[in-house]
């Protein structure tokens, strides 16, 4: 009859209570388990340290994202806010963000001088923290299905920024959503989209996003913009590139600058 292996904690306690107890063979057998256990504990402590010293859940998500090797264009957008401010100037006065974790983006934008911000969360806010719930109560963040018309009047915002949302839409719904983003903006739309081959939604997230991310190449997007008569904002793209170069900033996601509707 085989013995059930003892727990790691018990082995450690038994071996540590009386010095030099146990054969060399048992020590060798427990060594891999100890190594794995210490590695897991070290990773947990590292994430906890980054969380406690970075001041919030967005930094925690960023740390976890880096450890898992995935890419979040919403986190990338938050890194790019100073570059966007430099490139768009006064167009950053009234900003609408569309995408998951919009509460963290809106909170960061509100810290910028002379910037008002609103957000549309395309998915549920079941795990919202107190700050996010406060933004929802104030009407600054709302949950809305972006496959349908947005609940805003034309040109309600100077700039619309979308991240981690269009990658999950089929062309059928993109044909409705992108024109809506252009409709509610007066000075342009900025799209943060993933690169083909990047690791994105896990299987556990499919229930939230509804489908796996469809990461498209830049040539696909450019062809799509042309076919749908959505013009790229070359002047804004050039300013963004210049500001990024000065700050030694290299986006981990594709960034497209589009014009609003006349």
């Amino acid at each position: 009859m085989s013995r059930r292996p003892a727990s790691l904690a018990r082995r450690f306690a038994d071996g540590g209570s009386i010095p030099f107890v146990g054969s060399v063979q048992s020590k060798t057998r427990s060594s891999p388990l100890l190594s794995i256990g210490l590695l897991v504990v070290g990773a947990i402590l590292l994430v906890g340290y980054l969380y406690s010293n970075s001041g919030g859940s967005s930094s925690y998500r960023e740390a976890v994202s880096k450890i898992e090797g995935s890419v979040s264009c919403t986190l990338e957008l938050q890194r790019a806010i100073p570059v966007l401010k430099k490139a768009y100037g006064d167009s950053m006065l009234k900003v609408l963000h569309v995408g998951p974790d919009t509460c963290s983006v809106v909170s960061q934008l509100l810290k910028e001088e002379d910037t008002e911000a609103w957000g549309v969360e395309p998915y549920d806010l079941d795990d919202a923290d107190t700050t996010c719930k406060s933004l929802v109560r104030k009407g600054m963040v709302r949950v809305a299905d972006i496959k349908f018309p947005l609940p805003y009047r034309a040109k309600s915002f100077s700039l619309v920024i979308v991240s981690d949302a269009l990658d999950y839409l089929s062309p059928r719904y993109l044909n409705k959503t992108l024109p809506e983003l252009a409709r509610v903006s007066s000075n342009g739309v900025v799209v943060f989209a993933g690169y083909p081959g990047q690791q994105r939604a896990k299987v556990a997230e499919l229930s939230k996003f509804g489908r796996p991310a469809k990461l498209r190449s830049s040539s696909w997007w450019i062809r799509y913009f042309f076919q749908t008569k959505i013009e790229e904002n070359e002047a804004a793209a050039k300013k963004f590139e210049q500001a990024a170069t000065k700050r030694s900033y290299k986006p981990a996601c594709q960034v497209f600058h589009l014009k609003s509707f006349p």
Side-chain angles (χ1 to χ4, degrees), residues 3-17 30 33-34:
R3 293 178 59 192
R4 189 169 59 185
S7 67
L8 175 63
R10 183 175 177 181
R11 289 184 183 183
F12 183 76
D14 290 346
S17 58
S30 64
L33 291 175
L34 283 172

Side-chain angles (χ1 to χ4, degrees), residues 8-9 12 30-47:
L8 175 63
F12 183 76
S30 64
S31 179
L33 291 175
L34 283 172
S35 300
I36 293 171
L38 290 173
L39 184 62
V40 171
V41 171
I44 294 173
L45 291 174
L46 173 62
V47 171

Side-chain angles (χ1 to χ4, degrees), residues 84 88 91 96 98 157-163 166 177-192 225 230-233 236-237 255-261:
L84 288 167
Y88 281 90
S91 295
L96 173 68
V98 178
F157 308 96
S158 53
L159 189 68
V160 173
I161 307 174
V162 57
S163 62
L166 301 185
T177 300
L178 260 179
E180 270 296 288
L181 299 177
R183 180 185 67 82
V184 301
S185 65
S186 59
N187 294 323
V189 178
V190 183
V191 176
F192 283 74
F225 297 146
I230 297 177
E231 295 184 54
E232 290 191 77
N233 191 335
V255 184
F256 299 101
H257 305 264
L258 309 175
K259 291 183 178 180
S260 303
F261 286 161

Side-chain angles (χ1 to χ4, degrees), residues 31-246:
S31 179
L33 291 175
L34 283 172
S35 300
I36 293 171
L38 290 173
L39 184 62
V40 171
V41 171
I44 294 173
L45 291 174
L46 173 62
V47 171
Y49 174 80
L50 291 172
Y51 177 73
S52 62
N53 285 277
S54 300
S57 59
S58 63
S59 298
Y60 173 75
R61 285 192 296 270
E62 184 173 5
V64 172
S65 177
K66 289 179 178 179
I67 290 174
E68 292 181 344
S70 60
V71 175
S72 166
C73 289
T74 296
L75 291 173
E76 188 61 34
L77 158 60
Q78 293 180 64
R79 288 183 56 225
I81 286 177
V83 181
L84 288 167
K85 287 276 288 185
K86 193 70 174 179
Y88 281 90
D90 292 341
S91 295
M92 292 283 287
L93 295 179
K94 294 183 68 176
V95 180
L96 173 68
H97 172 256
V98 178
D101 296 326
T102 192
C103 287
S104 60
V105 176
V106 171
S107 297
Q108 186 168 342
L109 284 169
L110 290 174
K111 296 176 183 178
E112 299 292 326
E113 188 176 359
D114 300 325
T115 297
E116 297 179 86
W118 290 263
V120 171
E121 170 65 59
Y123 314 108
D124 293 332
L125 287 172
D126 295 335
D127 56 348
D129 57 19
T130 54
T131 300
C132 188
K133 290 178 181 178
S134 175
L135 291 172
V136 172
R137 283 196 302 269
K138 295 175 182 177
M140 303 178 74
V141 168
R142 63 175 66 191
V143 178
D145 191 336
I146 61 173
K147 295 192 294 292
F148 299 96
L150 295 174
Y152 302 106
R153 295 179 180 179
K155 302 186 185 303
S156 294
F157 308 96
S158 53
L159 189 68
V160 173
I161 307 174
V162 57
S163 62
D164 284 331
L166 301 185
D167 291 331
Y168 294 92
L169 297 180
S170 65
R172 171 189 173 190
Y173 290 115
L174 275 176
N175 292 338
K176 300 178 180 180
T177 300
L178 260 179
E180 270 296 288
L181 299 177
R183 180 185 67 82
V184 301
S185 65
S186 59
N187 294 323
V189 178
V190 183
V191 176
F192 283 74
Y195 282 105
Q198 285 180 336
Q199 183 180 347
R200 296 297 288 279
K202 312 290 189 303
V203 174
E205 294 177 327
L206 293 182
S207 59
K208 176 178 181 179
F209 296 115
R211 54 175 291 163
K214 180 69 174 179
L215 303 180
R216 297 139 173 144
S217 65
S218 59
S219 59
W220 187 97
W221 281 110
I222 292 170
R223 185 169 62 253
Y224 177 80
F225 297 146
F226 177 79
Q227 291 173 348
T228 53
K229 296 181 172 55
I230 297 177
E231 295 184 54
E232 290 191 77
N233 191 335
E234 295 180 1
K238 186 175 181 179
K239 290 181 179 179
F240 181 86
E241 185 178 347
Q242 292 172 344
T245 301
K246 288 182 179 180

